[in-house]
């Protein structure tokens, strides 16, 4: 499907599921490509975030790969291999593993998480280029209403 020279009436008749799927794939691919250019992967960042008491982790307690997979279940992609990604972070010294198999973020891992985090605004700015905040909010509210209209309790 294309939006070139498409009237508002024609756009209104197009399936939202198609366009949300296309948008999801395009945004994930763009984000992951920019992160790869910067030397890290999205799953590596998520591992650091989920283990940091200064971010997603409520207490900074170590977690196993299955626990991390469960914690990230709503946003992990099928191709994301947390064990492999964790090994890279272990080798870099950003994570450590204790005798019980729990992964812990290290001090250098926390510094890396903060360094990686500082790139998020530039990625967001590129994605949002030419879209004012009011239009973005409207788009999200429309999507949320569609989700509610399907009976989902996700929003």
């Amino acid at each position: 499907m294309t939006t070139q020279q498409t009237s508002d009436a024609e756009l209104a008749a197009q399936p939202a599921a198609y366009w949300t799927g296309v948008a999801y794939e395009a945004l994930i691919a763009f984000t992951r490509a920019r992160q790869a250019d910067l030397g890290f992967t999205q799953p590596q960042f998520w591992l650091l975030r989920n283990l940091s008491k200064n971010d997603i982790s409520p207490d900074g307690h170590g977690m196993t790969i299955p626990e991390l997979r469960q914690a990230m279940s709503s946003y992990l992609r099928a191709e994301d291999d947390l064990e492999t990604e964790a090994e890279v972070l272990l080798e870099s010294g950003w994570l450590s593993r204790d005798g019980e198999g729990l992964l812990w973020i290290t001090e250098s891992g926390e510094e890396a998480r903060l360094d990686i985090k500082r790139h998020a605004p530039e990625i967001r700015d590129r994605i949002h280029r030419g879209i004012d905040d009011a239009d973005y909010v409207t788009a999200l509210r429309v999507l949320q209403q569609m989700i509610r209209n399907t009976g989902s309790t996700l929003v």
Side-chain angles (χ1 to χ4, degrees), residues 68-113:
L68 286 158
R69 191 174 293 113
Q70 176 60 37
M72 296 183 227
S73 64
S74 67
Y75 49 90
L76 275 178
R77 293 176 54 95
E79 68 269 21
D80 294 340
D81 181 347
L82 291 185
E83 189 66 53
T84 299
E85 300 289 358
E87 286 301 321
V88 172
L89 297 178
L90 286 162
E91 290 171 15
S92 71
W94 293 358
L95 294 182
S96 64
R97 181 176 278 145
D98 68 17
E100 297 175 12
L102 298 176
L103 293 170
W104 297 83
I105 191 169
T106 64
E107 187 175 317
S108 63
E110 181 63 20
E111 290 170 12
R113 182 192 67 80

Side-chain angles (χ1 to χ4, degrees), residues 1-6 10-23:
M1 292 185 179
T2 180
T3 58
Q4 285 185 321
Q5 314 245 330
T6 306
E10 290 170 321
L11 279 174
Q14 292 185 3
Y18 171 80
W19 287 110
T20 57
V22 170

Side-chain angles (χ1 to χ4, degrees), residues 18-60:
Y18 171 80
W19 287 110
T20 57
V22 170
Y24 173 76
E25 292 300 329
L27 295 172
I28 291 295
F30 176 83
T31 299
R32 287 183 174 212
R34 296 299 70 72
Q35 291 172 331
D37 290 345
L38 296 166
F40 65 94
T41 69
Q42 193 170 47
Q44 290 169 357
F45 185 44
W46 290 338
L47 285 165
L48 295 172
R49 293 191 68 202
N50 275 274
L51 292 168
S52 173
K53 67 181 177 188
N54 300 309
D55 203 331
I56 295 174
S57 175
D59 58 9

